[in-house]
Amino acid sequence: KLKEPKKLKDADSKYRVDLSDIPFVTIDGHDAKDFDDAVYVKKIRQGYELKVAIADVSAYMLGQEELFKQSAEQAFSSYLPGKAFPMLPKKLTEEVCSLNPGETKAAFVTSMVLDNNLDVIECELERAIIKSHKRLTYDTALEEEALLLSPARELARKLRKRRQKDGAFFFSHGQF
């Protein structure tokens, strides 16, 4: 049984870089209940600054040895149409660790600088504190006209074009 997960305390924060002012957004399906990743993209002179944040569940699980054991045995979450089998309890994935907008959460963040040829010229992984600034769905992300997503769309188009050039396959609904 899940003990009440601990809140992120100031003591935990001193080992993390504070990135809570960076306008991360989550992008998930409209019916998603847990938001475990967030992204930030900015156009810079050299190319692009890209940050990808993944919720750091471990920050909230100290003293949860049985839960660690159970999640290690299951190894991953499973998703079927209309059904989810999370690796961790809902309270943890949908509330405590979820990167809900406006809430300060622990995360692992990969920060990259890509040049204009899309080559990674800098890369860093760090423990961080982030705050998602907005929750988007796949549909609203496509419609979103905010300056925030313009660089992300541009980078995504360029990466897709590069992957196609390199021989990647892309599938659309109902087609191979």
Side-chain angles (χ1 to χ4, degrees), residues 5 11 32 34 43 50 54 68 97 105 107 110 118 124 126 138:
D34 64 331
K43 182 78 172 121
L50 169 63
I54 305 294
F68 270 118
C97 303
K105 297 295 174 98
T110 298
L118 306 180
E124 179 179 21
E126 52 198 348
Y138 299 127

Side-chain angles (χ1 to χ4, degrees), residues 29-89:
H30 73 278
D31 57 350
K33 293 182 178 49
D34 64 331
F35 311 111
D36 57 359
D37 51 60
V39 66
Y40 166 79
V41 180
K42 180 180 177 183
K43 182 78 172 121
I44 58 175
R45 187 179 51 78
Q46 304 97 310
Y48 298 90
E49 177 184 357
L50 169 63
K51 293 183 183 296
V52 179
I54 305 294
D56 180 1
V57 177
S58 67
Y60 304 93
M61 290 184 52
L62 292 177
Q64 303 274 358
E65 288 79 14
E66 186 59 33
L67 187 56
F68 270 118
K69 183 180 174 192
Q70 289 172 357
S71 61
E73 287 174 6
Q74 186 170 336
F76 56 87
S77 299
S78 302
Y79 300 93
L80 298 172
K83 196 89 168 136
F85 302 95
M87 180 173 70
L88 298 166

